[in-house]
Amino acid sequence: MQAIRVLLVDDQPMIRTGFRLILEAEPDIVVVGEASDGVAAVESAEALTPDVVLMDIRMPHMDGVEATRRIVGAGSPSRIVILTTFDLDAHVVDALRAGASGFLVKDGPADSLVGAIRTVADGEAVLSPRVTHRLLDRFADLAAPATSAVPTKLDALTGRELDVLRALTRGLSNAEIARELGVGETTVKTHVAHILEKYQLRDRVQAVILAYDCGLVVPRGTS
């Protein structure tokens, strides 16, 4: 099995060292490089093409949001996980909009870091149901008014794909969606892939943002 290649981006050397020690203890993960600011992160991502970038949100010269935007904008296949000291602040929301595949709080347990890297490398997103709801709430001011009709922008989706998209906005995993809809997990994966392909989305986070922006879902407390 090919190892997951990770780029560490943080302006604090001790943080990078700590993450490196945690990750290099895993047989399926290798740290291929480090960067101390956003400028170096963009350059390193281009040169090293890591599978996953652990990106600090606040750094000198260029912050993690802009670095994420540039890496994604350049067409990089690297998945980006935002590292933050604060749970879902405005900068994290900006980074998710820029194309990040999720975020982690720095003081979380070591196994959550390792699990997040494996999850993102496998094409999933690092967002728990609780965080997904909070993420949606943060988009309330930017979302179109929700209606009972399917938004025109989502006309390309089949009825079942819309069911899956609604389930994604609730933070459900593929297995949970499969149980709820009474289909196989492979079928759910296929529907998710079709949604991403039809709207040229990187991952499930971007699909959730699309659903919210189109008014397919209603923020808590507004229905």
Side-chain angles (χ1 to χ4, degrees), residues 9-12 15-16 19 22 54-59 82-87 103-110 112-113:
V9 183
D10 197 293
D11 62 334
Q12 300 182 54
I15 294 291
R16 297 199 306 272
F19 285 152
I22 292 171
L54 288 181
M55 179 81 73
D56 189 18
I57 196 76
R58 291 177 173 82
M59 297 179 291
I82 295 297
L83 298 170
T84 179
T85 306
F86 305 102
D87 189 5
F103 80 95
L104 291 172
V105 179
K106 287 185 179 181
D107 60 0
S112 68
L113 173 66

Side-chain angles (χ1 to χ4, degrees), residues 42-112:
V42 174
E43 295 173 349
S44 296
E46 180 180 4
L48 301 172
T49 59
D51 299 306
V52 178
V53 179
L54 288 181
M55 179 81 73
D56 189 18
I57 196 76
R58 291 177 173 82
M59 297 179 291
H61 308 304
M62 181 189 296
D63 64 23
V65 176
E66 181 59 26
T68 296
R69 186 175 293 114
R70 295 194 185 191
I71 292 171
V72 172
S76 171
S78 300
R79 300 289 180 176
I80 300 173
V81 177
I82 295 297
L83 298 170
T84 179
T85 306
F86 305 102
D87 189 5
L88 197 58
D89 64 16
H91 295 290
V92 172
V93 173
D94 290 341
L96 294 173
R97 277 198 175 278
S101 296
F103 80 95
L104 291 172
V105 179
K106 287 185 179 181
D107 60 0
D111 59 351
S112 68

Side-chain angles (χ1 to χ4, degrees), residues 192-211:
V192 172
H194 286 167
I195 294 169
L196 301 185
E197 181 181 0
K198 287 179 179 180
Y199 290 93
Q200 297 183 328
L201 306 171
R202 284 172 64 86
D203 53 38
R204 299 156 79 100
V205 174
Q206 304 305 306
V208 169
I209 293 173
L210 171 68

Side-chain angles (χ1 to χ4, degrees), residues 143-158 162-163 165-166 169 199 207-218:
T147 66
S148 57
V150 176
T152 302
K153 188 175 181 180
L154 299 179
D155 282 349
L157 300 182
T158 66
L162 283 168
D163 291 339
L165 181 55
R166 290 188 180 97
T169 69
Y199 290 93
V208 169
I209 293 173
L210 171 68
Y212 204 84
D213 285 346
C214 290
L216 183 67
V217 292
V218 182

